[in-house]
Amino acid sequence: MYGWKKVYRNILVVGILLAFNTGLSQASPITIEAQGSFTVGGSYKQHEGTWVQENFISEAGQRAYGDFAYVEYQKPINAKKLPLIFQHGGAQSKRTWESGPDGREGFNTMFLRAGYSVYLVDQPRSGEANLSTEAVTPDTPWASNPMYGDKTLYVLSRIGHYDENGNPVPNAQFPDGETNYQAFQQSWTIGSGPLDNDLNADVLTKLFQQQKDGAVLVSHSMGGTIGWRAAIRTDKVKAIIAYEPGGTPFLFPQTEMPRINEARFKALSASAVGVPMDDFLKLTKIPIILYYGDYIKMGSENVGEDKWGTEYAMAQQFVETINRHGGDAMLVHLPDIGIK
Amino acid sequence: MYGWKKVYRNILVVGILLAFNTGLSQASPITIEAQGSFTVGGSYKQHEGTWVQENFISEAGQRAYGDFAYVEYQKPINAKKLPLIFQHGGAQSKRTWESGPDGREGFNTMFLRAGYSVYLVDQPRSGEANLSTEAVTPDTPWASNPMYGDKTLYVLSRIGHYDENGNPVPNAQFPDGETNYQAFQQSWTIGSGPLDNDLNADVLTKLFQQQKDGAVLVSHSMGGTIGWRAAIRTDKVKAIIAYEPGGTPFLFPQTEMPRINEARFKALSASAVGVPMDDFLKLTKIPIILYYGDYIKMGSENVGEDKWGTEYAMAQQFVETINRHGGDAMLVHLPDIGIK
């Protein structure tokens, strides 16, 4: 197990170095052994009746296919043994890991340069995997269309704040200006069906099971709970790097449920679900690292800061519970190491 | 103008050679100078009212962003002067140009190997550009969810036929088996808003205008009409390679409208719209080539064969009209040159 510590610290170092040196790294070409895309998982529903040419557009006798993931991959020459599999967050797509809103190189290309095979996932019912066997429901807020939510998404993502006139306060990390603001707003993806964390984890698990030696999972936000669930389903998840996990339940042993901190806007509170101890213990067998950024403050009047304050407090309990059972989890609050 | 003939014939030859030699070409690595993704175009709608933290999820004072294209690009080292821009067809996404359902290398990678910069587009309201400023309407049949339509999509696409028991008849060109059948069904994308050919053409035009020397358009199916419209909007479209254009109107001079052949299932008939002669003449300034495959037969009881019979007849009139006005259009029926 401890060999893995080295692996993920190397990944962290590579990530940080690349993030601060993209100007340099972008200058050199990349050599790719193979690239392509495919789907994983999926099912269908059968409609009753008999299909006939004379009424070819009727649902009778036809199937509705859906619930698969779309995966785009690139493999560099002399690839490292373990690929990186990237799982995006809620209402998003694999674009999370691609070029930044101002054209900066994305994580996919950075890690390809660093020698990793890279798999980018559009989870079921999102992006280019946008077929569902279940109709979208009213409790999927990002499925409203048109989706009036630019400010909601901005503050829940803690990109920054708005001033008294409703304009975004300039922020040092997110690129300024209307063009970049619009690029951020264009990065969301309407889901075509209800969010189903177990479906998403089942399909992600299938992708891991296709990897001979397993792979390292990189997750974002709502992808956190999908990742914990996948690591319980298969031992092919060899490590987890989770960026700001939250938005859906953390997993805890049923017998050791955490303290819930309520957000001022109660529905935004971090949550937890209990799993059998044997399942939870699988999370102690792999290295796990969680990163959180700035604008996190429980009790803040800014809903994004407050919500993520509760997620961070939950993450602390999650890490502590894993390590108490002999695991190897680490929580990094970027402002604490000088990154704001 | 005639220099272009050479360009597109070269592209044709490269495409056909690569299609028959993928085993060989897949063996060699590809060197990439740059890759990434970005969005083009887009707009927003403003909702009345004032946004406040206390009611942060309300639509009041918020904007709905949408109607942009998502573009993924790769540039090889020593790229040829003109990039290829790929526009997909109806209810599809950029996946059209990626790996085949059985894992064969996609057009994007083939042409990258051949030295072309490649831009893959998800048109507005599709795939990873799945945000719309207009709500989806009932007249967008592929937006139903779940979408019972596996047989409709199969026969309209002329992948093949069904036997008396409702099973697909084996076909030499499409890979056999349940896995590949499912991969085909998983390749569709539900639109999140009404189909708007002019919106799609406006956004595609913006992408062409970003190309210093222009680019060559490769379109599929319903992308045909988007491509003709883009070529009228900008002189940056330097040539068009259209695979099976149809499904939406062909363009003709208002004063020279074509004969409409009605399909047995009337709503499937090929259609045409008139444009001012000055606009139409722009289509005579660039080389245009149209390809059609097999299973095309006007009057057939198979709706796919019949529908595409009317499209092919329309395409013949389109090509003839362009050439009559001094243009350089060519129609290739693959069975006529021995490809079935």
Side-chain angles (χ1 to χ4, degrees):
Chain A
M1 185 171 100
Y2 284 91
W4 286 106
K5 272 201 172 171
K6 193 161 153 251
V7 170
Y8 76 75
R9 292 215 173 112
N10 282 349
I11 290 174
L12 166 62
V13 167
V14 167
I16 288 178
L17 286 180
L18 288 173
F20 287 97
N21 288 286
T22 50
L24 182 63
S25 60
Q26 276 181 303
S28 59
I30 312 170
T31 308
I32 290 178
E33 187 179 305
Q35 66 176 22
S37 66
F38 56 91
T39 59
V40 186
S43 61
Y44 61 81
K45 275 189 167 172
Q46 178 78 42
H47 204 281
E48 61 186 5
T50 303
W51 184 80
V52 289
Q53 291 269 351
E54 290 66 29
N55 195 11
F56 69 98
I57 212 164
S58 156
E59 296 184 334
Q62 298 212 62
R63 294 175 181 169
Y65 282 83
D67 299 356
F68 54 92
Y70 162 77
V71 183
E72 197 171 276
Y73 71 95
Q74 289 186 290
K75 182 180 180 181
I77 51 165
N78 305 316
K80 293 182 194 289
K81 187 176 171 194
L82 296 186
L84 301 178
I85 294 180
F86 290 82
Q87 165 66 53
H88 62 79
Q92 292 162 68
S93 73
K94 69 174 178 57
R95 289 174 55 193
T96 296
W97 314 105
E98 300 174 354
S99 302
D102 55 352
R104 279 176 298 176
E105 204 158 71
F107 269 32
N108 61 335
T109 306
M110 287 180 193
F111 283 102
L112 191 63
R113 287 188 188 285
Y116 291 91
S117 290
V118 168
Y119 290 76
L120 304 183
V121 176
D122 273 0
Q123 77 184 25
R125 306 173 181 177
S126 295
E128 291 177 4
N130 199 31
L131 293 174
S132 172
T133 64
E134 302 290 336
V136 70
T137 59
D139 66 339
T140 310
W142 52 79
S144 70
N145 186 19
M147 185 175 68
Y148 291 97
D150 68 319
K151 292 184 170 62
T152 302
L153 295 167
Y154 195 83
V155 298
L156 287 185
S157 303
R158 304 184 346 272
I159 300 294
H161 299 143
Y162 288 89
D163 64 20
E164 290 171 2
N165 301 316
N167 296 315
V169 170
N171 177 287
Q173 293 303 318
F174 194 79
D176 277 348
E178 273 303 307
T179 303
N180 292 319
Y181 183 81
Q182 173 148 329
F184 169 76
Q185 299 297 344
Q186 291 180 342
S187 71
W188 302 92
T189 305
I190 295 173
S192 66
L195 177 68
D196 183 335
N197 291 318
D198 285 311
L199 166 66
N200 293 335
D202 285 342
V203 173
L204 184 64
T205 298
K206 283 194 168 77
L207 177 59
F208 271 89
Q209 285 171 335
Q210 291 176 8
Q211 314 303 318
K212 185 166 61 75
D213 302 308
V216 173
L217 173 64
V218 186
S219 71
H220 175 229
S221 193
M222 205 179 268
T225 199
I226 300 167
W228 321 137
R229 290 166 204 234
I232 285 178
R233 284 161 164 81
T234 176
D235 62 5
K236 295 280 193 178
V237 179
K238 298 301 185 187
I240 299 180
I241 300 156
Y243 289 96
E244 302 232 338
T248 47
F250 280 80
L251 306 190
F252 282 84
Q254 284 159 339
T255 50
E256 299 176 30
M257 294 302 287
R259 182 182 69 254
I260 301 290
N261 294 286
E262 282 197 358
R264 290 164 63 99
F265 305 88
K266 199 171 165 182
L268 295 182
S269 310
S271 63
V273 291
V275 297
M277 181 60 86
D278 281 355
D279 280 350
F280 185 81
L281 288 178
K282 293 177 186 169
L283 297 177
T284 69
K285 306 302 180 197
I286 57 172
I288 297 177
I289 190 163
L290 293 76
Y291 293 98
Y292 289 88
D294 50 10
Y295 291 130
I296 287 182
K297 186 181 170 190
M298 208 157 31
S300 167
E301 290 185 8
N302 288 293
V303 293
E305 289 192 349
D306 181 35
K307 180 238 183 340
W308 286 97
T310 70
E311 298 285 3
Y312 185 74
M314 181 65 75
Q316 287 175 311
Q317 298 178 82
F318 176 69
V319 164
E320 188 196 317
T321 307
I322 289 176
N323 290 340
R324 190 169 64 243
H325 288 282
D328 178 15
M330 181 187 290
L331 180 60
V332 178
H333 189 206
L334 293 179
D336 292 346
I337 60 170
I339 301 176
K340 289 187 185 186
Chain B
M1 185 171 100
Y2 284 92
W4 286 108
K5 271 202 174 171
K6 195 163 151 249
V7 169
Y8 76 76
R9 295 221 168 109
N10 282 349
I11 289 174
L12 166 62
V13 168
V14 166
I16 289 179
L17 286 179
L18 287 173
F20 287 96
N21 288 286
T22 50
L24 182 64
S25 62
Q26 276 182 304
S28 59
I30 311 169
T31 307
I32 289 178
E33 187 178 304
Q35 66 176 23
S37 67
F38 56 90
T39 59
V40 187
S43 60
Y44 61 81
K45 275 188 167 172
Q46 179 78 43
H47 204 281
E48 61 186 3
T50 303
W51 184 81
V52 290
Q53 290 270 348
E54 290 67 28
N55 195 11
F56 69 98
I57 212 164
S58 155
E59 296 184 333
Q62 299 213 63
R63 293 175 182 168
Y65 282 83
D67 298 354
F68 53 92
Y70 162 77
V71 183
E72 197 171 276
Y73 71 94
Q74 290 187 290
K75 181 181 180 178
I77 50 164
N78 305 316
K80 293 182 193 291
K81 187 176 171 194
L82 295 186
L84 301 179
I85 294 181
F86 289 82
Q87 165 67 51
H88 63 78
Q92 293 162 65
S93 73
K94 70 174 177 57
R95 288 174 55 195
T96 296
W97 314 105
E98 299 174 355
S99 302
D102 55 352
R104 279 176 298 176
E105 203 159 72
F107 269 32
N108 61 335
T109 306
M110 286 181 195
F111 283 102
L112 191 64
R113 287 189 188 285
Y116 291 92
S117 290
V118 168
Y119 290 76
L120 304 183
V121 175
D122 274 0
Q123 76 183 25
R125 308 175 179 175
S126 294
E128 291 178 2
N130 199 31
L131 293 175
S132 172
T133 64
E134 300 291 337
V136 71
T137 59
D139 66 339
T140 311
W142 53 80
S144 70
N145 185 17
M147 184 175 68
Y148 292 97
D150 68 320
K151 292 184 170 63
T152 302
L153 295 167
Y154 195 82
V155 297
L156 286 185
S157 302
R158 306 184 345 270
I159 299 296
H161 299 145
Y162 288 90
D163 64 19
E164 289 170 3
N165 301 316
N167 296 316
V169 170
N171 178 287
Q173 293 302 317
F174 195 79
D176 277 348
E178 274 302 307
T179 303
N180 293 320
Y181 184 81
Q182 174 149 328
F184 169 76
Q185 299 297 345
Q186 291 180 343
S187 71
W188 301 92
T189 304
I190 296 174
S192 67
L195 177 68
D196 184 334
N197 291 318
D198 284 311
L199 166 67
N200 293 334
D202 285 343
V203 173
L204 184 63
T205 298
K206 284 194 167 77
L207 177 59
F208 272 89
Q209 285 172 334
Q210 291 177 7
Q211 313 304 318
K212 184 166 62 74
D213 301 308
V216 173
L217 173 64
V218 186
S219 70
H220 175 230
S221 192
M222 203 177 269
T225 200
I226 300 167
W228 320 139
R229 289 165 205 236
I232 286 179
R233 285 163 164 82
T234 176
D235 62 4
K236 295 281 194 179
V237 179
K238 297 302 185 187
I240 299 180
I241 299 156
Y243 289 96
E244 303 232 337
T248 47
F250 280 79
L251 305 190
F252 283 83
Q254 285 160 337
T255 49
E256 299 176 30
M257 295 301 286
R259 182 184 68 256
I260 301 291
N261 294 286
E262 282 197 358
R264 290 163 64 99
F265 305 91
K266 198 171 165 183
L268 295 182
S269 311
S271 62
V273 291
V275 297
M277 181 60 86
D278 281 355
D279 280 350
F280 185 80
L281 289 177
K282 293 177 185 169
L283 297 178
T284 69
K285 306 302 179 197
I286 57 171
I288 297 177
I289 190 162
L290 293 75
Y291 292 99
Y292 289 86
D294 50 8
Y295 291 131
I296 288 182
K297 186 181 171 189
M298 208 157 33
S300 167
E301 289 187 8
N302 289 292
V303 293
E305 289 192 348
D306 181 36
K307 181 237 185 338
W308 286 96
T310 68
E311 298 286 2
Y312 184 73
M314 181 65 75
Q316 287 176 310
Q317 298 179 81
F318 177 69
V319 165
E320 187 195 317
T321 308
I322 289 175
N323 290 340
R324 191 169 62 242
H325 288 282
D328 179 14
M330 181 188 290
L331 179 61
V332 178
H333 188 207
L334 293 179
D336 292 346
I337 59 170
I339 301 176
K340 290 188 185 186

